[in-house]
Amino acid sequence: MAEVQQHSPAPGAGLILVTHLLETSVEYVQRLAESFALIAVIPVPYSLSAAAALELHQRGIPVRTVESITEIAPAVLAAARSHGGHMVVQEVGGYCAEITEDLAQAGVSAIVEDTNQGLWRYQAVADRRVPIYTIADSPLKRLEDRRVGDGVAHSVDALFRSELNRLVGNQTVGVLGYGGIGRYTAQGLKRMGARVHVYDLDPIASAGAATDGFEVHGRTRLLRSCNVIVGVSGHRSLTVADFELLNDDTVLASGSSKQVEFPVEDLDAGGRIERVSKYLAQIVLDGKHTWLLNEGRPVNFVHNSILGNTLDLVYTELFALTVAAAYGVQNGGPDGINRLPTDRQRNFAARWCHLYGGKNVLDTRRS
């Protein structure tokens, strides 16, 4: 990334950053601060490391924490209004999708989105008032799926050990969603000894799971036959009504953003959730007891989410796209959303292979 930063100077634009602020992201934020007028770093509350925030503070980088994800968009808008001038927002979940008109009036000229969840939210907005840029569906970003899936499987196992005094390898696990992350989550759990069943709404994805050696079932059968459910669909995979299908003592874990997989808010409003510890809660519904890990938020953020130098490749593309957004470079697709040109992605991949191809890709050093 250092080479891209050196050869792709930003045009003095302001930047508001919404991010998962973990120890692994500190150096990336530092790079952004060196190239942009970094107005504010707004961490997503459920993926905030106090140590990372303190380190950024000691480096003089402004971190504005919020209590809940509903406060992110207002915080971004307040930061934009306080700065004025030419600004870009880089974010990680589509939190600003509903306020693009307000951001445009405040001086924001572009929004850069990192995630599929966020991309879907911006695609659903008919009248986007500022250009949107994304790496969410980039082929380089897809290389991250293995690391995320491995991280989800690791964290499910670690939380089984620490919170439930069990081994996930002894369980029958249902994986809901067999996209990029779901595939590697299922493979990671299988390596741990779990018997893994898979359901995906897309028959092609289900066929892929069967080809990879997993048992593929209809959704109802999977929910009835598994005592662990891992949601990695990126959408709501369970409703309150589905709980009657679950076995008593079933454990729920999510590998998707926010609390999207399970109806946590509905259950909480009905007084159905009892917090047992920081990472474990119990749901009591219709005489059954169900365990919920990390309040239905992505379990991989409990353990730093992603490690290794694959991050360097993803951060490089994200940085380059943010610079392009600041300059107003347009490369719109059929959905009107801008992406980095394929030739630049290939160039980054070639350089990354030159630096890391002869090394273990889990090496955590940066270029």
Side-chain angles (χ1 to χ4, degrees), residues 46 83 181 191 213 215 220 228 276 345:
Y46 66 76
H83 180 77
I181 294 173
R191 286 194 300 271
E215 298 185 46
T220 297
V228 181
V276 178
Q345 294 170 341

Side-chain angles (χ1 to χ4, degrees), residues 160 166 170-174 222-229 247-252:
F160 254 74
R166 307 178 193 174
N170 295 333
Q171 313 300 319
T172 301
V173 181
L222 181 144
L223 295 180
R224 289 187 184 279
S225 60
C226 296
N227 57 350
V228 181
I229 303 296
N247 296 308
D248 192 45
D249 207 36
T250 293
V251 181
L252 305 180

Side-chain angles (χ1 to χ4, degrees), residues 328-340:
V329 177
Q330 299 285 313
N331 189 41
D335 57 358
I337 293 177
N338 298 280
R339 296 163 175 85
L340 209 63

Side-chain angles (χ1 to χ4, degrees), residues 23-24 27 147 304 306-312 315 352 356 359-367:
E23 286 87 342
T24 50
E27 292 307 315
R147 301 292 166 238
N304 253 333
I306 307 171
L307 299 173
N309 54 35
T310 305
L311 277 173
D312 194 24
Y315 279 152
W352 187 88
Y356 297 117
K359 304 173 185 177
N360 186 334
V361 295
L362 292 179
D363 188 344
T364 57
R365 286 172 288 182
R366 297 283 188 268
S367 63

Side-chain angles (χ1 to χ4, degrees), residues 138-192:
S138 157
L140 300 184
K141 176 76 171 177
R142 285 198 296 272
L143 299 177
E144 187 183 61
D145 289 347
R146 176 183 291 274
R147 301 292 166 238
V148 176
D150 286 346
V152 172
H154 166 79
S155 291
V156 170
D157 180 56
L159 292 172
F160 254 74
R161 293 167 182 265
S162 66
E163 305 301 315
L164 295 164
N165 296 314
R166 307 178 193 174
L167 296 173
V168 76
N170 295 333
Q171 313 300 319
T172 301
V173 181
V175 174
L176 298 176
Y178 201 73
I181 294 173
R183 178 185 183 187
Y184 293 114
T185 298
Q187 290 179 357
L189 292 166
K190 185 177 181 180
R191 286 194 300 271
M192 293 171 181

Side-chain angles (χ1 to χ4, degrees), residues 80-236:
R81 285 172 171 167
S82 70
H83 180 77
H86 178 34
M87 284 173 288
V88 174
V89 173
Q90 183 192 117
E91 71 137 318
V92 65
Y95 295 102
C96 299
E98 303 302 322
I99 61 166
T100 57
E101 182 172 0
D102 293 331
L103 290 174
Q105 292 175 352
V108 172
S109 62
I111 297 174
V112 179
E113 172 57 52
D114 185 6
T115 67
N116 276 315
Q117 280 281 329
L119 174 59
W120 297 334
R121 292 186 70 178
Y122 282 110
Q123 288 173 324
V125 176
D127 185 20
R128 298 185 291 263
R129 300 303 298 270
V130 296
I132 308 300
Y133 296 71
T134 190
I135 70 165
D137 49 9
S138 157
L140 300 184
K141 176 76 171 177
R142 285 198 296 272
L143 299 177
E144 187 183 61
D145 289 347
R146 176 183 291 274
R147 301 292 166 238
V148 176
D150 286 346
V152 172
H154 166 79
S155 291
V156 170
D157 180 56
L159 292 172
F160 254 74
R161 293 167 182 265
S162 66
E163 305 301 315
L164 295 164
N165 296 314
R166 307 178 193 174
L167 296 173
V168 76
N170 295 333
Q171 313 300 319
T172 301
V173 181
V175 174
L176 298 176
Y178 201 73
I181 294 173
R183 178 185 183 187
Y184 293 114
T185 298
Q187 290 179 357
L189 292 166
K190 185 177 181 180
R191 286 194 300 271
M192 293 171 181
R195 182 182 180 187
V196 180
H197 299 186
V198 172
Y199 168 78
D200 195 290
L201 183 64
D202 183 353
I204 296 176
S206 294
T211 300
D212 289 340
F214 294 104
E215 298 185 46
V216 176
H217 298 298
R219 184 171 173 277
T220 297
R221 181 180 172 186
L222 181 144
L223 295 180
R224 289 187 184 279
S225 60
C226 296
N227 57 350
V228 181
I229 303 296
V230 182
V232 280
S233 69
H235 303 281
R236 180 57 51 86

